[in-house]
């Protein structure tokens, strides 16, 4: 008997929901937030900073940095403040609009 294989997309559709559904949109937003948080944590560690030190640069408590690195409490304003504190920038684009640069030296 042959084993049936499924793509990641098929499994996600089955267990999370099809693209465009509220469940799928929420799931994908959570994944993106977690990836941003992990990137911030990696950048902080690359600069040999503790969460406390980054918090001091950003002007927030250590607990807030922990939440940010876990992908919670992320807003664009928070991301910009953290990027500036780390001396970094990030580029993103909205389909049909000009690219935007956030953070240190935010010129496009």
């Amino acid at each position: 008997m042959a084993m049936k294989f499924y793509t990641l997309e098929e499994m996600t559709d089955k267990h999370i929901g099809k693209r465009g559904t509220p469940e799928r949109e929420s799931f994908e937003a959570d994944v993106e937030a977690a990836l941003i948080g992990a990137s911030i944590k990696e950048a902080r560690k690359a600069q040999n900073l503790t969460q406390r030190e980054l918090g001091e640069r950003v002007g927030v408590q250590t607990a807030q940095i922990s939440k940010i690195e876990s992908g919670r409490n992320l807003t664009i304003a928070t991301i910009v403040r953290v990027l500036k504190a780390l001396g970094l920038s990030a580029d993103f684009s909205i389909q049909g609009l000009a690219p935007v640069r956030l953070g240190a030296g935010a010129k496009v």
Side-chain angles (χ1 to χ4, degrees), residues 2 5 13 25 36 44 52 76 89 91 95:
F5 292 94
D13 285 350
E25 295 296 323
I36 291 169
R44 173 184 60 79
R52 183 184 57 77
I76 291 177
S89 63
D91 297 325
Q95 194 169 12

Side-chain angles (χ1 to χ4, degrees), residues 32-42 67-71 74:
E32 289 167 354
L35 292 171
I36 291 169
S39 295
I40 289 169
K41 182 177 184 174
E42 183 179 326
K67 289 177 184 177
I68 291 166
E69 291 181 352
S70 297
L74 281 181

Side-chain angles (χ1 to χ4, degrees), residues 77-104:
T78 302
I79 293 168
V80 169
R81 288 173 53 203
V82 171
L83 290 173
K84 285 183 178 180
L86 292 169
L88 301 173
S89 63
D91 297 325
F92 77 96
S93 62
I94 299 171
Q95 194 169 12
L97 299 176
V100 176
R101 173 163 287 168
L102 302 175

